Amino acid sequence: AELQAIPDAEFTSDKIAPAFKAAAAKIGGKMPDVAKPARVLLTGTLQSPDIGIVVESLGKAKTLSRLNA
């Protein structure tokens, strides 16, 4: 929900990281608690560049599609 709320024109890594932090806070966790599973869904691996860069590179539509799959 946090990523969906970011307007398309503002879908940049500096807006994406706070969205992941907010999602983690909702579940009472920390950013790695949501970033690691998201990283696997988005890249197929546990190791990748910064999650904000990965998400920005994929774009909003592809990111949301993969996370909702």
Side-chain angles (χ1 to χ4, degrees):
E2 285 76 16
L3 290 176
Q4 290 174 332
I6 300 171
D8 292 350
E10 297 176 24
F11 202 73
T12 60
S13 59
D14 62 318
K15 300 281 186 180
I16 293 164
F20 273 93
K21 288 179 184 176
K26 277 187 172 180
I27 63 167
K30 296 185 178 183
M31 188 159 167
D33 297 329
V34 293
K36 284 183 181 181
R39 182 175 278 115
V40 172
L41 289 169
L42 297 171
T43 67
T45 181
L46 280 173
Q47 296 182 351
S48 71
D50 178 83
I51 192 68
I53 293 169
V54 170
V55 170
E56 181 178 1
S57 297
L58 288 173
K60 187 174 182 177
K62 189 174 277 189
T63 295
L64 295 176
S65 174
R66 288 186 184 183
L67 291 177
N68 292 323

